Every structure is written in structure tokens, then in C-alpha cells.
Amino acid sequence: MRLHKGYAALTIALLAIELAIALFLHDPIIRPYVGDALAVVLVYAGLRAVTNAGVLPATLIAFAIAVVIEFGQYFRVLAAIGLDHDRFARMILGSGFDPKDFIAYASGAVAVLLVERYRRASRAAAGIRTVSPSSDSSSTI
């Protein structure tokens, strides 16, 4: 197992933002849609922090996880396992199916791909070699 410190820090920061959104925002845009887009970025960053998955595979896995969770909401999985009244479970896994959420998840995935493409191009323009999993910015656990 590896730990990429940059992605780990991003994961922690995004988790704090997501928790703040879930606990303190009750608006019709940021909480449901920006929060859902950020959830895909959060899962992506977490995957990149602890695996050697590349940008595209990690993005697709993060998107797929979001889609599976959304379908879990459609099929009322939390109610089926007796967690529909658990505030923490509802905060993490959501409580209501909304097909518009798929657009938010796709937006989060596209944002990841665009930011990573920009980062790669910026590094190339600056003459910085792409960081490999065994470089100093990661450590093995």
C-alpha cells in the first residue's frame, strides 16, 4: 500500500468541506449538486492517495461508486438494512434518489479530468518530470 501525501491532504480537506456542506448548508444548489460533484472528487482523491490507479481509472471508479450509491438510494437500501433513520448513514450515503445527481457526478468526474490535464500540461511546460509512485511525495505503509 502506498500513501501519496498530496492526495491524502486533498482527501482530508474535501471531507471537511463535504461535512460542512452536509451539516450547515440547506440550500437548493450547493448542498445537493456541488456537494455531489465534490463527492466524486473526494473519492477520486482518496483512491489516488492510497493506490497506484491512474487518473482515468480512479476517475471512473469514483464515478461508478457515486452511481452505485445513487441507485442504492433509488432502491432504498438504507431502509432495507435498517439505517434509514441513522443521521450519519443518511449524510454519507444520501437519502433520496434524484436523477439530476448523475449530472453532478459526471461534472465532478469531468472536473477531475480537466484539472489533472491542466496539472500535467503545467508540469510539462515547466520541465517538471511526472511524479512516479515511488518518488519522495509518497511513502509506503
Side-chain angles (χ1 to χ4, degrees), residues 4 6-8 11 16 21 36 41 55 64 67 76 80-81 87-90 97 100 102 105 108 134:
H4 187 286
Y7 283 112
T11 301
I21 289 171
D36 284 351
V41 180
V55 171
V67 167
R76 302 187 37 81
I81 61 174
R87 183 176 181 200
F88 183 73
R90 290 170 54 94
F97 177 79
K100 291 180 269 183
F102 294 114
Y105 302 143
S134 62

Side-chain angles (χ1 to χ4, degrees), residues 49-73:
V50 298
T51 71
N52 289 325
V55 171
L56 186 59
T59 303
L60 292 174
I61 291 167
F63 178 76
I65 289 169
V67 167
V68 167
I69 290 171
E70 192 68 28
F71 278 117
Q73 293 170 4

Side-chain angles (χ1 to χ4, degrees), residues 28-49:
I29 301 291
I30 294 175
R31 183 174 182 171
Y33 303 115
V34 174
D36 284 351
L38 282 178
V40 171
V41 180
L42 168 66
V43 173
Y44 167 81
L47 287 168
R48 294 286 299 210

